Amino acid sequence: MKVLLFLVLFTLIFSCKKKEEQLTIAVGGTPEEIRYWSQIIEEFEKKEGIEVKILRQPADTDLRRHGLAVSLSAKEKDPDVFLMDIAWVGFFIKSGWLEKLRDIDSSPFIEKVLFVDKKGEDLYALPLFVDCGLLYYRKDLLEKYNCSVPSTWEQLLECSLKVQRQERKRDPKFYAFVWQGAQYEGLMCVFLEFSTSAGGSLDDLDSAANLKALSFMRDLIRVYAISPPNTYTEMKEEEVRRFFQAGKALFERNWSYAWILHNMENSPVKGKVGIAPLPAFKGGKRASCLGGWHVGISAFSDKKEEALKLLKFLVSYETQKKLALNLGWNPSRRDVYEDKELLKKFPQIKKIKEACEYAIPRPSVSYYIQMSEVIRPYINAVLAGRLNPLEALTKAQRELNLLERTYR
Ligand code: GLC
């Protein structure tokens, strides 16, 4: 009996201790991405002998931020390490949630994305990959209907109308163009792209250029009907990706991660997809929202030394190369783009890099999240047909003015 009691106590103590020694990392994304993360983490565990628990988060950036903010504002020890959207790194630094990173050589990283990780000379995070909005298209359908890859939105519309009319005979649920229109951060990215390519910006919301951009977005759904009606209720990255992947669309606006998934063994569009930079309005300039995810360490972590080892491992040349090859994530280190094996196995990286030359950042003000939360309901209400574009932009601008007064 005594022996049994001893064994039970021993097991209890041992398992509690084991748990305490675990490092926790919060990552989100598609099931395929999370599956690959387990492999990466296992490699780290073997290399460093440090046990790591993966805290699985959803794919939606807003939900991921909310999830982390709950733990961080309560100063919880876990997660020790987490990924952050480029759009909210500044907010996390300002909130005091990130541990300052010391003894790190940040010179291999692309300057254009690294700036968000710094406050003055201090470094608080490192970029894991660079994202930008891309146009995916069906090569076979463009060829069949004699369309070229569109460089303007007007061309995209013209070809979409032609193809949709014909393809509907085969599939009544075919829609030519899918993009992110649900009310969340992804919609801000799409709006920024249309706005910039019409000559507008988020600094002057109720401008004629923005009016043109927003009217066009609405008309894609409500007038030309080449984008599905659930664009403004449901369409986030994954909904859009799955729709296109099922072979039900001609064009798709999405991020770099979609490429590998579209070309998976069981994908109905495998081998039929092309990548191009997003079009511009006629006479305007191309624009692609600068996205991407960064890694940081919690200021409340009780395993900062181990956490730093994990962070260094994740942003290393080798891991970034693996993430590019297996998940299609665009490296944030300049040197990885020179990798011969990567270029051979993943030649599309060149196309992605080319499209990313048009990348434009979201406003780098510390209250960007609040700004986005003001603007997106108005944009979404226009897509839903509840407000007209002028009314929506005027009201949003008025609210933004108040917000700016509060934060400046
Ligand atoms: C992608 C981008 C990110 C962006 C988000 C919007 O995850 O990398 O920067 O904010 O999409 O949904």
Side-chain angles (χ1 to χ4, degrees):
M1 186 64 192
K2 265 189 189 162
V3 174
L4 192 66
L5 198 67
F6 174 76
L7 273 178
V8 170
L9 272 175
F10 180 81
T11 318
L12 265 176
I13 292 165
F14 184 71
S15 58
C16 288
K17 184 151 188 290
K18 202 168 164 204
K19 216 172 193 177
E20 244 183 32
E21 278 172 3
Q22 266 182 352
L23 201 58
T24 309
I25 180 168
V27 289
T30 63
E32 291 82 3
E33 286 173 321
I34 303 279
R35 222 170 291 138
Y36 189 67
W37 268 97
S38 309
Q39 207 172 306
I40 289 282
I41 291 301
E42 230 169 80
E43 283 171 24
F44 171 77
E45 290 181 322
K46 275 201 197 118
K47 182 170 179 263
E48 295 290 346
I50 299 171
E51 207 182 321
V52 185
K53 186 171 126 200
I54 297 183
L55 196 72
R56 195 188 161 150
Q57 291 201 291
D60 178 330
T61 175
D62 296 332
L63 298 177
R64 287 170 76 170
R65 174 168 51 81
H66 287 308
L68 291 173
V70 169
S71 315
L72 291 165
S73 48
K75 298 189 173 30
E76 278 173 17
K77 288 184 285 190
D78 290 340
D80 305 277
V81 180
F82 41 82
L83 300 199
M84 292 165 286
D85 188 337
I86 189 171
W88 29 273
V89 178
F91 170 72
F92 272 40
I93 297 178
K94 193 168 153 265
S95 305
W97 292 342
L98 294 178
E99 180 67 12
K100 203 193 297 180
L101 303 178
R102 290 166 225 272
D103 306 323
I104 294 247
D105 174 19
S106 61
S107 63
F109 297 91
I110 299 173
E111 219 15 76
K112 202 170 166 183
V113 293
L114 188 67
F115 78 94
V116 300
D117 301 320
K118 293 180 177 168
K119 191 172 150 201
E121 286 304 299
D122 296 333
L123 184 69
Y124 287 90
L126 279 174
L128 186 61
F129 71 98
V130 184
D131 233 352
C132 57
L134 303 167
L135 182 73
Y136 290 91
Y137 58 89
R138 285 281 299 278
K139 290 190 287 190
D140 55 332
L141 291 181
L142 288 193
E143 203 183 315
K144 181 172 169 194
Y145 294 100
N146 208 8
C147 287
S148 47
V149 179
S151 55
T152 65
W153 290 118
E154 290 82 357
Q155 285 168 358
L156 178 138
L157 176 62
E158 196 190 321
C159 172
S160 292
L161 290 169
K162 179 160 84 177
V163 175
Q164 184 167 301
R165 205 175 308 123
Q166 295 304 322
E167 287 295 305
R168 279 277 169 94
K169 293 179 191 157
R170 185 184 54 81
D171 176 0
K173 294 205 177 117
F174 184 93
Y175 279 95
F177 182 31
V178 281
W179 45 281
Q180 297 77 25
Q183 200 199 120
Y184 80 119
E185 181 58 24
L187 175 59
M188 277 302 280
C189 291
V190 174
F191 178 65
L192 182 68
E193 287 160 356
F194 277 110
S195 152
T196 315
S197 79
S201 83
L202 298 187
D203 295 336
D204 183 14
L205 210 54
D206 50 358
S207 65
N210 283 350
L211 202 59
K212 173 178 171 177
L214 185 52
S215 307
F216 185 76
M217 287 168 72
R218 175 200 57 190
D219 295 350
L220 289 174
I221 308 168
R222 311 191 77 80
V223 176
Y224 311 119
I226 60 163
S227 300
N230 68 344
T231 298
Y232 61 89
T233 49
E234 286 170 309
M235 287 296 208
K236 297 184 181 177
E237 283 80 16
E238 272 300 90
E239 287 74 11
V240 167
R241 203 259 308 160
R242 284 197 293 262
F243 196 99
F244 183 86
Q245 196 156 315
K248 295 179 146 317
L250 169 66
F251 296 115
E252 170 198 21
R253 184 264 173 223
N254 217 328
W255 307 94
S256 53
Y257 85 100
W259 172 261
I260 297 261
L261 299 173
H262 287 332
N263 287 293
M264 278 188 321
E265 226 23 78
N266 60 357
S267 162
V269 298
K270 182 177 190 297
K272 298 179 182 166
V273 184
I275 299 182
L278 287 167
F281 281 104
K282 207 168 160 210
K285 57 172 190 196
R286 294 181 192 264
S288 164
C289 179
L290 176 65
W293 289 76
H294 296 227
V295 209
I297 297 174
S298 163
F300 315 110
S301 160
D302 57 348
K303 297 174 201 73
K304 289 183 181 143
E305 214 176 290
E306 292 87 345
L308 189 62
K309 282 190 184 155
L310 178 57
L311 182 141
K312 284 186 177 168
F313 173 83
L314 293 178
V315 299
S316 68
Y317 183 102
E318 279 310 317
T319 307
Q320 287 220 350
K321 181 176 158 186
K322 284 183 191 157
L323 289 172
L325 280 171
N326 293 283
L327 299 180
W329 287 6
N330 213 23
S332 62
R333 298 173 67 109
R334 283 186 304 271
D335 45 4
V336 185
Y337 288 93
E338 311 293 322
D339 192 283
K340 293 220 173 58
E341 192 197 2
L342 176 67
L343 289 171
K344 195 161 163 236
K345 289 195 178 155
F346 186 27
Q348 296 72 20
I349 193 101
K350 277 205 202 131
K351 290 247 172 207
I352 298 178
K353 193 167 177 250
E354 202 183 291
C356 287
E357 315 255 295
Y358 301 101
I360 36 154
R362 280 159 271 185
S364 57
V365 288
S366 61
Y367 55 92
Y368 171 71
I369 292 172
Q370 288 83 353
M371 198 175 157
S372 165
E373 278 168 357
V374 164
I375 302 175
R376 22 171 153 137
Y378 284 108
I379 307 291
N380 187 262
V382 173
L383 305 184
R386 279 188 277 112
L387 286 178
N388 71 51
L390 181 62
E391 205 182 343
L393 291 173
T394 315
K395 284 188 173 162
Q397 181 66 64
R398 214 175 293 147
E399 267 191 53
L400 270 190
N401 294 343
L402 289 176
L403 187 80
E404 272 165 21
R405 243 176 275 156
T406 317
Y407 283 94
R408 276 207 176 128

